[in-house]
Amino acid sequence: MTASRILVVDDEEDIRELLQEILTEEGYEVDVAANAAEARAARGVVGAGTGLGVGALVATADGSWQAVAGEGGHVSFSPMDEEEVELWRFAHARYGHVSAERLLQGRGLELIH
C-alpha cells in the first residue's frame, strides 16, 4: 500500500519540523516547504499556525496558480483509535467542540504534547 503524501507549508521551521515528525510517525510521506515558491507543485494546502488554514491551488489558463481559501479547519475531530478517543475526551472536557483546528494549530500542538 502506498502512503499518502502530504506537503506542509509554513514559514516557521519549528512548526514544519514538528508536523513532519508527527505525520511521518502516522505513516505519511511528508514534504516541507517554507513558502509558496518552494511548494509550487502543491494542489491542496494545509497550514497550521494561529489557526488551521485549508485551501486549494487551482491552475489558471496562463499557467499560474490561484489560491482558493477554505474553512476545513473547522471540521470536527474524528478519533480513529483509543489513544485519539482519550485526546478527544481531554480536549472536549476543556473546550467543548473539538475541531481539527483546535488540535493542529500552535496551541493545540502544545496541548497534545
Side-chain angles (χ1 to χ4, degrees), residues 81-106:
D81 59 29
E82 192 57 38
E83 182 177 31
E84 290 179 0
V85 169
E86 289 302 313
L87 173 62
W88 180 88
R89 285 185 182 130
F90 178 78
H92 185 265
R94 194 169 193 176
Y95 301 111
H97 178 251
V98 183
S99 66
E101 182 172 64
R102 169 73 63 198
L103 298 176
L104 295 176
Q105 49 84 6

PDB file of all heavy atoms in Angstrom, residues 81-106:
ATOM      1  N   ASP A  81      -8.757   5.796  16.990  1.00  0.00           N
ATOM      2  CA  ASP A  81      -8.345   4.702  17.860  1.00  0.00           C
ATOM      3  C   ASP A  81      -8.494   5.165  19.318  1.00  0.00           C
ATOM      4  O   ASP A  81      -8.878   6.301  19.583  1.00  0.00           O
ATOM      5  CB  ASP A  81      -6.916   4.239  17.561  1.00  0.00           C
ATOM      6  CG  ASP A  81      -5.875   5.336  17.712  1.00  0.00           C
ATOM      7  OD1 ASP A  81      -6.061   6.278  18.524  1.00  0.00           O
ATOM      8  OD2 ASP A  81      -4.849   5.254  17.012  1.00  0.00           O
ATOM      9  N   GLU A  82      -8.205   4.281  20.253  1.00  0.00           N
ATOM     10  CA  GLU A  82      -8.411   4.589  21.672  1.00  0.00           C
ATOM     11  C   GLU A  82      -7.564   5.767  22.146  1.00  0.00           C
ATOM     12  O   GLU A  82      -8.022   6.594  22.933  1.00  0.00           O
ATOM     13  CB  GLU A  82      -8.132   3.351  22.528  1.00  0.00           C
ATOM     14  CG  GLU A  82      -8.590   3.503  23.963  1.00  0.00           C
ATOM     15  CD  GLU A  82     -10.073   3.844  24.116  1.00  0.00           C
ATOM     16  OE1 GLU A  82     -10.906   3.325  23.368  1.00  0.00           O
ATOM     17  OE2 GLU A  82     -10.402   4.667  25.012  1.00  0.00           O
ATOM     18  N   GLU A  83      -6.344   5.876  21.650  1.00  0.00           N
ATOM     19  CA  GLU A  83      -5.481   6.998  22.041  1.00  0.00           C
ATOM     20  C   GLU A  83      -6.097   8.334  21.600  1.00  0.00           C
ATOM     21  O   GLU A  83      -6.117   9.305  22.358  1.00  0.00           O
ATOM     22  CB  GLU A  83      -4.093   6.826  21.421  1.00  0.00           C
ATOM     23  CG  GLU A  83      -3.108   7.918  21.819  1.00  0.00           C
ATOM     24  CD  GLU A  83      -1.727   7.689  21.246  1.00  0.00           C
ATOM     25  OE1 GLU A  83      -1.613   7.105  20.141  1.00  0.00           O
ATOM     26  OE2 GLU A  83      -0.761   8.111  21.904  1.00  0.00           O
ATOM     27  N   GLU A  84      -6.638   8.368  20.385  1.00  0.00           N
ATOM     28  CA  GLU A  84      -7.264   9.586  19.891  1.00  0.00           C
ATOM     29  C   GLU A  84      -8.582   9.870  20.616  1.00  0.00           C
ATOM     30  O   GLU A  84      -8.948  11.027  20.803  1.00  0.00           O
ATOM     31  CB  GLU A  84      -7.471   9.501  18.384  1.00  0.00           C
ATOM     32  CG  GLU A  84      -6.169   9.570  17.618  1.00  0.00           C
ATOM     33  CD  GLU A  84      -6.337   9.474  16.115  1.00  0.00           C
ATOM     34  OE1 GLU A  84      -7.487   9.349  15.629  1.00  0.00           O
ATOM     35  OE2 GLU A  84      -5.313   9.530  15.421  1.00  0.00           O
ATOM     36  N   VAL A  85      -9.295   8.806  21.032  1.00  0.00           N
ATOM     37  CA  VAL A  85     -10.508   8.993  21.824  1.00  0.00           C
ATOM     38  C   VAL A  85     -10.154   9.669  23.146  1.00  0.00           C
ATOM     39  O   VAL A  85     -10.851  10.589  23.590  1.00  0.00           O
ATOM     40  CB  VAL A  85     -11.237   7.653  22.065  1.00  0.00           C
ATOM     41  CG1 VAL A  85     -12.335   7.804  23.116  1.00  0.00           C
ATOM     42  CG2 VAL A  85     -11.810   7.120  20.762  1.00  0.00           C
ATOM     43  N   GLU A  86      -9.071   9.255  23.771  1.00  0.00           N
ATOM     44  CA  GLU A  86      -8.625   9.880  25.025  1.00  0.00           C
ATOM     45  C   GLU A  86      -8.251  11.344  24.813  1.00  0.00           C
ATOM     46  O   GLU A  86      -8.578  12.198  25.633  1.00  0.00           O
ATOM     47  CB  GLU A  86      -7.453   9.108  25.632  1.00  0.00           C
ATOM     48  CG  GLU A  86      -7.841   7.762  26.200  1.00  0.00           C
ATOM     49  CD  GLU A  86      -8.924   7.872  27.271  1.00  0.00           C
ATOM     50  OE1 GLU A  86      -8.809   8.738  28.174  1.00  0.00           O
ATOM     51  OE2 GLU A  86      -9.887   7.093  27.198  1.00  0.00           O
ATOM     52  N   LEU A  87      -7.578  11.617  23.711  1.00  0.00           N
ATOM     53  CA  LEU A  87      -7.232  13.004  23.375  1.00  0.00           C
ATOM     54  C   LEU A  87      -8.509  13.818  23.186  1.00  0.00           C
ATOM     55  O   LEU A  87      -8.639  14.932  23.706  1.00  0.00           O
ATOM     56  CB  LEU A  87      -6.373  13.046  22.113  1.00  0.00           C
ATOM     57  CG  LEU A  87      -6.079  14.429  21.543  1.00  0.00           C
ATOM     58  CD1 LEU A  87      -5.305  15.266  22.544  1.00  0.00           C
ATOM     59  CD2 LEU A  87      -5.305  14.297  20.238  1.00  0.00           C
ATOM     60  N   TRP A  88      -9.489  13.255  22.439  1.00  0.00           N
ATOM     61  CA  TRP A  88     -10.754  13.942  22.229  1.00  0.00           C
ATOM     62  C   TRP A  88     -11.442  14.227  23.563  1.00  0.00           C
ATOM     63  O   TRP A  88     -11.929  15.336  23.787  1.00  0.00           O
ATOM     64  CB  TRP A  88     -11.680  13.105  21.330  1.00  0.00           C
ATOM     65  CG  TRP A  88     -12.996  13.790  21.095  1.00  0.00           C
ATOM     66  CD1 TRP A  88     -13.295  14.679  20.111  1.00  0.00           C
ATOM     67  CD2 TRP A  88     -14.173  13.660  21.894  1.00  0.00           C
ATOM     68  NE1 TRP A  88     -14.591  15.100  20.239  1.00  0.00           N
ATOM     69  CE2 TRP A  88     -15.156  14.497  21.325  1.00  0.00           C
ATOM     70  CE3 TRP A  88     -14.504  12.921  23.028  1.00  0.00           C
ATOM     71  CZ2 TRP A  88     -16.437  14.612  21.860  1.00  0.00           C
ATOM     72  CZ3 TRP A  88     -15.769  13.037  23.549  1.00  0.00           C
ATOM     73  CH2 TRP A  88     -16.718  13.873  22.969  1.00  0.00           C
ATOM     74  N   ARG A  89     -11.490  13.233  24.453  1.00  0.00           N
ATOM     75  CA  ARG A  89     -12.144  13.418  25.760  1.00  0.00           C
ATOM     76  C   ARG A  89     -11.485  14.544  26.551  1.00  0.00           C
ATOM     77  O   ARG A  89     -12.166  15.379  27.157  1.00  0.00           O
ATOM     78  CB  ARG A  89     -12.095  12.122  26.569  1.00  0.00           C
ATOM     79  CG  ARG A  89     -13.063  11.084  26.096  1.00  0.00           C
ATOM     80  CD  ARG A  89     -13.061   9.866  27.011  1.00  0.00           C
ATOM     81  NE  ARG A  89     -13.970   8.862  26.508  1.00  0.00           N
ATOM     82  CZ  ARG A  89     -13.655   7.589  26.342  1.00  0.00           C
ATOM     83  NH1 ARG A  89     -12.454   7.137  26.676  1.00  0.00           N
ATOM     84  NH2 ARG A  89     -14.538   6.747  25.860  1.00  0.00           N
ATOM     85  N   PHE A  90     -10.153  14.556  26.555  1.00  0.00           N
ATOM     86  CA  PHE A  90      -9.413  15.592  27.281  1.00  0.00           C
ATOM     87  C   PHE A  90      -9.740  16.970  26.710  1.00  0.00           C
ATOM     88  O   PHE A  90     -10.069  17.900  27.446  1.00  0.00           O
ATOM     89  CB  PHE A  90      -7.909  15.310  27.201  1.00  0.00           C
ATOM     90  CG  PHE A  90      -7.069  16.346  27.874  1.00  0.00           C
ATOM     91  CD1 PHE A  90      -6.929  16.361  29.249  1.00  0.00           C
ATOM     92  CD2 PHE A  90      -6.411  17.315  27.127  1.00  0.00           C
ATOM     93  CE1 PHE A  90      -6.153  17.323  29.889  1.00  0.00           C
ATOM     94  CE2 PHE A  90      -5.634  18.281  27.743  1.00  0.00           C
ATOM     95  CZ  PHE A  90      -5.512  18.278  29.131  1.00  0.00           C
ATOM     96  N   ALA A  91      -9.664  17.107  25.384  1.00  0.00           N
ATOM     97  CA  ALA A  91      -9.918  18.399  24.743  1.00  0.00           C
ATOM     98  C   ALA A  91     -11.388  18.798  24.882  1.00  0.00           C
ATOM     99  O   ALA A  91     -11.703  19.970  25.105  1.00  0.00           O
ATOM    100  CB  ALA A  91      -9.509  18.342  23.276  1.00  0.00           C
ATOM    101  N   HIS A  92     -12.302  17.822  24.780  1.00  0.00           N
ATOM    102  CA  HIS A  92     -13.734  18.117  24.900  1.00  0.00           C
ATOM    103  C   HIS A  92     -14.074  18.623  26.297  1.00  0.00           C
ATOM    104  O   HIS A  92     -14.864  19.562  26.447  1.00  0.00           O
ATOM    105  CB  HIS A  92     -14.554  16.872  24.553  1.00  0.00           C
ATOM    106  CG  HIS A  92     -16.020  17.130  24.531  1.00  0.00           C
ATOM    107  ND1 HIS A  92     -16.827  16.883  25.619  1.00  0.00           N
ATOM    108  CD2 HIS A  92     -16.816  17.637  23.563  1.00  0.00           C
ATOM    109  CE1 HIS A  92     -18.064  17.218  25.314  1.00  0.00           C
ATOM    110  NE2 HIS A  92     -18.087  17.675  24.078  1.00  0.00           N
ATOM    111  N   ALA A  93     -13.497  18.021  27.316  1.00  0.00           N
ATOM    112  CA  ALA A  93     -13.752  18.463  28.690  1.00  0.00           C
ATOM    113  C   ALA A  93     -13.260  19.899  28.893  1.00  0.00           C
ATOM    114  O   ALA A  93     -13.856  20.666  29.649  1.00  0.00           O
ATOM    115  CB  ALA A  93     -13.064  17.522  29.682  1.00  0.00           C
ATOM    116  N   ARG A  94     -12.209  20.249  28.195  1.00  0.00           N
ATOM    117  CA  ARG A  94     -11.608  21.569  28.355  1.00  0.00           C
ATOM    118  C   ARG A  94     -12.273  22.641  27.487  1.00  0.00           C
ATOM    119  O   ARG A  94     -12.428  23.775  27.903  1.00  0.00           O
ATOM    120  CB  ARG A  94     -10.131  21.470  28.007  1.00  0.00           C
ATOM    121  CG  ARG A  94      -9.301  22.630  28.410  1.00  0.00           C
ATOM    122  CD  ARG A  94      -7.848  22.286  28.253  1.00  0.00           C
ATOM    123  NE  ARG A  94      -7.047  23.284  28.919  1.00  0.00           N
ATOM    124  CZ  ARG A  94      -5.758  23.231  29.020  1.00  0.00           C
ATOM    125  NH1 ARG A  94      -5.100  22.217  28.514  1.00  0.00           N
ATOM    126  NH2 ARG A  94      -5.102  24.174  29.623  1.00  0.00           N
ATOM    127  N   TYR A  95     -12.674  22.277  26.246  1.00  0.00           N
ATOM    128  CA  TYR A  95     -13.129  23.270  25.277  1.00  0.00           C
ATOM    129  C   TYR A  95     -14.545  23.067  24.738  1.00  0.00           C
ATOM    130  O   TYR A  95     -15.052  23.943  24.048  1.00  0.00           O
ATOM    131  CB  TYR A  95     -12.185  23.292  24.071  1.00  0.00           C
ATOM    132  CG  TYR A  95     -10.763  23.616  24.418  1.00  0.00           C
ATOM    133  CD1 TYR A  95      -9.779  22.653  24.326  1.00  0.00           C
ATOM    134  CD2 TYR A  95     -10.408  24.891  24.835  1.00  0.00           C
ATOM    135  CE1 TYR A  95      -8.459  22.946  24.638  1.00  0.00           C
ATOM    136  CE2 TYR A  95      -9.098  25.201  25.157  1.00  0.00           C
ATOM    137  CZ  TYR A  95      -8.126  24.224  25.053  1.00  0.00           C
ATOM    138  OH  TYR A  95      -6.833  24.518  25.371  1.00  0.00           O
ATOM    139  N   GLY A  96     -15.128  21.903  24.932  1.00  0.00           N
ATOM    140  CA  GLY A  96     -16.404  21.633  24.270  1.00  0.00           C
ATOM    141  C   GLY A  96     -16.147  21.036  22.898  1.00  0.00           C
ATOM    142  O   GLY A  96     -15.542  19.972  22.804  1.00  0.00           O
ATOM    143  N   HIS A  97     -16.554  21.738  21.857  1.00  0.00           N
ATOM    144  CA  HIS A  97     -16.342  21.234  20.496  1.00  0.00           C
ATOM    145  C   HIS A  97     -14.850  21.061  20.212  1.00  0.00           C
ATOM    146  O   HIS A  97     -14.047  21.932  20.528  1.00  0.00           O
ATOM    147  CB  HIS A  97     -16.946  22.198  19.478  1.00  0.00           C
ATOM    148  CG  HIS A  97     -16.723  21.758  18.067  1.00  0.00           C
ATOM    149  ND1 HIS A  97     -15.845  22.412  17.230  1.00  0.00           N
ATOM    150  CD2 HIS A  97     -17.231  20.726  17.356  1.00  0.00           C
ATOM    151  CE1 HIS A  97     -15.839  21.803  16.052  1.00  0.00           C
ATOM    152  NE2 HIS A  97     -16.678  20.781  16.113  1.00  0.00           N
ATOM    153  N   VAL A  98     -14.483  19.925  19.612  1.00  0.00           N
ATOM    154  CA  VAL A  98     -13.084  19.648  19.276  1.00  0.00           C
ATOM    155  C   VAL A  98     -12.970  19.598  17.751  1.00  0.00           C
ATOM    156  O   VAL A  98     -13.386  18.633  17.124  1.00  0.00           O
ATOM    157  CB  VAL A  98     -12.595  18.319  19.900  1.00  0.00           C
ATOM    158  CG1 VAL A  98     -11.120  18.105  19.588  1.00  0.00           C
ATOM    159  CG2 VAL A  98     -12.837  18.315  21.404  1.00  0.00           C
ATOM    160  N   SER A  99     -12.420  20.651  17.185  1.00  0.00           N
ATOM    161  CA  SER A  99     -12.229  20.716  15.737  1.00  0.00           C
ATOM    162  C   SER A  99     -10.808  20.286  15.389  1.00  0.00           C
ATOM    163  O   SER A  99      -9.929  20.217  16.250  1.00  0.00           O
ATOM    164  CB  SER A  99     -12.459  22.150  15.245  1.00  0.00           C
ATOM    165  OG  SER A  99     -11.457  23.007  15.775  1.00  0.00           O
ATOM    166  N   ALA A 100     -10.592  20.026  14.113  1.00  0.00           N
ATOM    167  CA  ALA A 100      -9.232  19.741  13.641  1.00  0.00           C
ATOM    168  C   ALA A 100      -8.329  20.916  13.973  1.00  0.00           C
ATOM    169  O   ALA A 100      -7.194  20.744  14.410  1.00  0.00           O
ATOM    170  CB  ALA A 100      -9.248  19.471  12.141  1.00  0.00           C
ATOM    171  N   GLU A 101      -8.850  22.122  13.786  1.00  0.00           N
ATOM    172  CA  GLU A 101      -8.077  23.324  14.080  1.00  0.00           C
ATOM    173  C   GLU A 101      -7.664  23.386  15.549  1.00  0.00           C
ATOM    174  O   GLU A 101      -6.547  23.786  15.881  1.00  0.00           O
ATOM    175  CB  GLU A 101      -8.913  24.553  13.723  1.00  0.00           C
ATOM    176  CG  GLU A 101      -8.207  25.865  13.944  1.00  0.00           C
ATOM    177  CD  GLU A 101      -9.004  27.018  13.390  1.00  0.00           C
ATOM    178  OE1 GLU A 101     -10.118  27.280  13.894  1.00  0.00           O
ATOM    179  OE2 GLU A 101      -8.506  27.644  12.447  1.00  0.00           O
ATOM    180  N   ARG A 102      -8.556  22.970  16.432  1.00  0.00           N
ATOM    181  CA  ARG A 102      -8.263  23.002  17.879  1.00  0.00           C
ATOM    182  C   ARG A 102      -6.997  22.204  18.199  1.00  0.00           C
ATOM    183  O   ARG A 102      -6.215  22.573  19.060  1.00  0.00           O
ATOM    184  CB  ARG A 102      -9.457  22.422  18.644  1.00  0.00           C
ATOM    185  CG  ARG A 102      -9.227  22.149  20.099  1.00  0.00           C
ATOM    186  CD  ARG A 102      -9.145  23.373  20.972  1.00  0.00           C
ATOM    187  NE  ARG A 102     -10.382  24.098  20.970  1.00  0.00           N
ATOM    188  CZ  ARG A 102     -10.486  25.366  21.354  1.00  0.00           C
ATOM    189  NH1 ARG A 102      -9.435  26.025  21.760  1.00  0.00           N
ATOM    190  NH2 ARG A 102     -11.645  25.971  21.325  1.00  0.00           N
ATOM    191  N   LEU A 103      -6.782  21.103  17.471  1.00  0.00           N
ATOM    192  CA  LEU A 103      -5.650  20.229  17.771  1.00  0.00           C
ATOM    193  C   LEU A 103      -4.419  20.490  16.911  1.00  0.00           C
ATOM    194  O   LEU A 103      -3.309  20.190  17.332  1.00  0.00           O
ATOM    195  CB  LEU A 103      -6.071  18.761  17.626  1.00  0.00           C
ATOM    196  CG  LEU A 103      -7.182  18.326  18.573  1.00  0.00           C
ATOM    197  CD1 LEU A 103      -7.585  16.904  18.273  1.00  0.00           C
ATOM    198  CD2 LEU A 103      -6.771  18.486  20.022  1.00  0.00           C
ATOM    199  N   LEU A 104      -4.594  21.027  15.720  1.00  0.00           N
ATOM    200  CA  LEU A 104      -3.473  21.118  14.788  1.00  0.00           C
ATOM    201  C   LEU A 104      -2.874  22.502  14.630  1.00  0.00           C
ATOM    202  O   LEU A 104      -1.940  22.685  13.865  1.00  0.00           O
ATOM    203  CB  LEU A 104      -3.895  20.586  13.408  1.00  0.00           C
ATOM    204  CG  LEU A 104      -4.242  19.107  13.387  1.00  0.00           C
ATOM    205  CD1 LEU A 104      -4.737  18.704  12.013  1.00  0.00           C
ATOM    206  CD2 LEU A 104      -3.049  18.262  13.804  1.00  0.00           C
ATOM    207  N   GLN A 105      -3.372  23.485  15.346  1.00  0.00           N
ATOM    208  CA  GLN A 105      -2.750  24.805  15.328  1.00  0.00           C
ATOM    209  C   GLN A 105      -1.758  24.884  16.490  1.00  0.00           C
ATOM    210  O   GLN A 105      -1.621  23.950  17.262  1.00  0.00           O
ATOM    211  CB  GLN A 105      -3.798  25.913  15.363  1.00  0.00           C
ATOM    212  CG  GLN A 105      -4.865  25.774  16.424  1.00  0.00           C
ATOM    213  CD  GLN A 105      -4.476  26.307  17.796  1.00  0.00           C
ATOM    214  OE1 GLN A 105      -3.428  26.903  17.990  1.00  0.00           O
ATOM    215  NE2 GLN A 105      -5.324  26.095  18.758  1.00  0.00           N
ATOM    216  N   GLY A 106      -1.037  25.964  16.590  1.00  0.00           N
ATOM    217  CA  GLY A 106       0.038  26.098  17.581  1.00  0.00           C
ATOM    218  C   GLY A 106      -0.299  25.649  18.989  1.00  0.00           C
ATOM    219  O   GLY A 106       0.356  24.786  19.571  1.00  0.00           O
TER     220      GLY A 106
END
